[in-house]
Amino acid sequence: MMLLLSGCTPNTHTTTTEGLKNGGWWDSNVVYWFSLMLDKFAEWFNGEYGLSILVLVVIVRTIILPLMIKQYKSTKAMQKLQPEMAKIREKHKDDTRKQQEEMMKLYQEHQVNPLAGCLPLLIQMPIFIALYRGITVNEQVREHTFMWLKLGSPDPYYILPVVAALTTFIQSKMMSAQQSQQMAAMKGLMFIFPVLIFVMALSFPAALPLYWIYSNIYTIVQNYFMYGRKPKPEGNGKEAIPDEKARSNGNGKRKVSGGGNKKRSR
């Protein structure tokens, strides 16, 4: 997604939210509504567009959260199938067609869709492009000052590019930890993405790195709850205690405390 956005050159032409209605179909029917939301949310915070971008990111990412959960379940299901997939590759290493057929049978048997992980990306794509354009063409956003930033100009102190690159690295590292051994080559991308984000953030209007940082932080928190926490062990840990006591007896019987044989005194 970041590579896709990087292909869009920052737009120096700005307009008002209402002016977007006079644009093409995309601007008048899609970008207009995202720009309108930025304006409305800014009104909640006395015109602070920096906080308006945060609210919009939280709303959009929360709406697509069910898709991310579906992607997570698909990833876990594929991980469980890795041993069987490795056996199929080894067994039919000289027959690619047979290998693919056996893979499809395996997916059908376990009701796993290997392409399910692509669905969130496909749905997010038009949303993020619209957000990108809504931020860059809205002249009220570009002329607004938030903290030390002028949202329509690059960060003069390079703080945003560094933070954007750092949060992108953390996010990529959390995701790469979940990749299978077959995807190990893709793990190198977690070093490339932060560099790309840093380079882009150096020249992009500050509103965009700010948007990336908000989105990255949301994703980091989301991935922590999805991937970062270790599952709790099943049971309460007390099941082995009687067996340990039995083994300590040597004869498989529990020891009876001495007090149980004493007669109750009257």
Side-chain angles (χ1 to χ4, degrees):
M1 180 56 61
M2 292 303 152
L3 288 174
L4 176 64
L5 294 179
S6 69
C8 303
T9 304
N11 196 332
T12 56
H13 171 71
T14 60
T15 183
T16 63
T17 297
E18 292 301 318
L20 287 169
K21 290 184 176 180
N22 300 322
W25 182 92
W26 177 253
D27 283 349
S28 59
N29 292 280
V30 180
V31 179
Y32 166 77
W33 295 105
F34 284 100
S35 183
L36 182 63
M37 284 188 286
L38 285 172
D39 292 340
K40 293 299 182 183
F41 296 151
E43 292 177 3
W44 297 356
F45 301 101
N46 297 321
E48 290 288 352
Y49 277 94
L51 298 179
S52 174
I53 294 173
L54 172 60
V55 174
L56 191 55
V57 167
V58 170
I59 290 175
V60 171
R61 294 308 302 265
T62 302
I63 290 175
I64 64 176
L65 184 58
L67 295 177
M68 303 306 297
I69 294 175
K70 185 175 182 179
Q71 181 186 35
Y72 165 74
K73 292 180 179 179
S74 176
T75 300
K76 300 301 288 186
M78 290 293 292
Q79 286 178 346
K80 290 181 179 180
L81 293 181
Q82 288 303 318
E84 297 183 46
M85 293 169 65
K87 292 179 182 179
I88 292 175
R89 293 190 185 95
E90 180 64 24
K91 183 177 180 180
H92 304 287
K93 58 183 178 181
D94 298 326
D95 190 345
T96 305
R97 183 176 178 179
K98 183 64 176 178
Q99 185 181 123
Q100 293 176 347
E101 291 177 355
E102 292 298 319
M103 288 287 189
M104 292 304 298
K105 290 180 181 178
L106 183 66
Y107 296 148
Q108 292 174 358
E109 179 182 350
H110 293 273
Q111 298 181 346
V112 172
N113 182 2
L115 300 179
C118 300
L119 182 60
L121 178 61
L122 295 176
I123 294 180
Q124 288 180 67
M125 197 174 295
I127 295 176
F128 284 122
I129 292 176
L131 278 173
Y132 175 95
R133 181 154 176 80
I135 289 173
T136 55
V137 303
N138 188 325
E139 64 183 19
Q140 290 181 289
V141 177
R142 292 178 69 97
E143 296 300 323
H144 181 72
T145 300
F146 179 66
M147 295 189 293
W148 73 94
L149 304 165
K150 184 177 180 181
L151 296 183
S153 303
D155 182 1
Y157 303 110
Y158 309 115
I159 296 175
L160 282 188
V162 171
V163 176
L166 179 61
T167 53
T168 300
F169 174 78
I170 296 173
Q171 174 189 340
S172 300
K173 188 173 180 62
M174 293 177 73
M175 293 298 297
S176 67
Q178 301 301 316
Q179 299 295 334
S180 62
Q181 293 181 353
Q182 287 74 19
M183 297 293 290
M186 298 296 292
K187 293 184 178 181
L189 293 178
M190 78 176 184
F191 298 102
I192 298 176
F193 283 144
V195 175
L196 289 175
I197 294 300
F198 177 79
V199 173
M200 289 186 291
L202 289 175
S203 57
F204 273 40
L208 294 176
L210 187 63
Y211 158 73
W212 291 338
I213 291 170
Y214 288 152
S215 183
N216 286 343
I217 292 174
Y218 187 103
T219 304
I220 289 170
V221 175
Q222 168 191 289
N223 288 346
Y224 170 76
F225 286 102
M226 284 187 176
Y227 304 109
R229 298 187 302 175
K230 295 182 179 180
K232 294 181 180 180
E234 297 181 359
N236 54 14
K238 299 179 180 179
E239 292 84 350
I241 295 178
D243 295 332
E244 291 295 333
K245 289 182 177 180
R247 281 195 293 270
S248 64
N249 246 355
N251 56 8
K253 297 181 179 179
R254 291 187 181 181
K255 291 181 178 180
V256 180
S257 60
N261 293 329
K262 293 180 180 180
K263 294 183 179 180
R264 187 179 298 177
S265 58
R266 296 182 179 177

